[in-house]
Amino acid sequence: MAKPKRAILAAAQESSTPPDELTETQSIARVVKAEGNSIYSCELPNGKPVLVELEPKFRNTIFIRRGGYVLIDLADAQERLKTGRVSGDIINIVRDEKEWRKQPYWPKEFVKKTFGEDEDEDSNVGKLPPSDSEDE
C-alpha cells in the first residue's frame, strides 16, 4: 500500500533541515552499502563500520544513495549488539548537504571532494597510449 502524500511530504520536510545540535549518541555517517530490508552499512567519521536500520517513517519514502550521509543514533547500541547485528537507527537523511556542512558538528573527516583534487600526476586517465614511433 502506498503512503499518503502528506506522509511523504512530512518526511521530506523533516530531512531537509539539519538539527541545531546533536546528542552524545548521535553521529553523522556515510552510507557504504544497502544491505536490504531497510538495513544499511555505514561508516562513522573514525572509519568504524556500523549497521543501522532506517526508521519506519522514511521507508519507501526517501531514497538513500550510496556515498550519501545520514544522521544515526547509537543510543541502545550495547543492547542491540547482544540481540542482533544492527547497532543503531537512521534518524535523519542528509538531503541538503551544503546546509548540513555549515553546522559545527559536521565531522572534519568527511571533506567535500571537488573536481581536480587528489589527482595523481602519473594517472593515465584521459591520455593516449604511447605510440610505437616514440620508442625508436
Side-chain angles (χ1 to χ4, degrees):
M1 187 169 142
K3 286 189 173 190
K5 190 172 184 176
R6 67 179 179 275
I8 294 171
L9 292 174
Q13 178 65 29
E14 184 178 334
S15 66
S16 65
T17 56
D20 294 330
E21 56 186 34
L22 301 182
T23 65
E24 292 178 10
T25 59
Q26 294 176 346
S27 177
I28 305 275
R30 181 185 295 129
V31 177
V32 177
K33 180 181 174 187
E35 299 288 342
N37 290 343
S38 300
I39 296 185
Y40 292 85
S41 177
C42 295
E43 179 184 35
L44 294 173
N46 61 9
K48 180 183 171 194
V50 63
L51 279 177
V52 291
E53 183 177 15
L54 187 63
E55 278 194 342
K57 65 182 171 187
F58 293 122
R59 294 181 189 168
N60 301 325
T61 305
I62 295 183
F63 178 73
I64 301 176
R65 64 173 196 234
R66 187 175 54 221
Y69 298 100
V70 292
L71 178 62
I72 62 173
D73 190 1
L74 302 173
D76 51 352
Q78 296 301 326
E79 294 142 24
R80 284 183 175 224
L81 286 175
K82 293 175 187 173
T83 60
R85 38 182 234 155
V86 176
S87 57
D89 290 320
I90 296 175
I91 57 172
N92 208 339
I93 295 119
V94 176
R95 291 183 56 220
D96 186 9
E97 190 176 320
K98 190 175 185 179
E99 190 65 34
W100 282 73
R101 284 185 179 276
K102 294 177 184 176
Q103 300 300 321
Y105 51 77
W106 186 266
K108 304 281 187 263
E109 293 83 4
F110 294 147
V111 295
K112 185 165 180 84
K113 298 207 176 189
T114 58
F115 183 73
E117 284 185 13
D118 297 334
E119 285 189 23
D120 296 330
E121 294 298 323
D122 299 331
S123 175
N124 292 334
V125 176
K127 295 182 181 177
L128 293 174
S131 63
D132 294 333
S133 62
E134 290 179 6
D135 294 337
E136 295 176 357

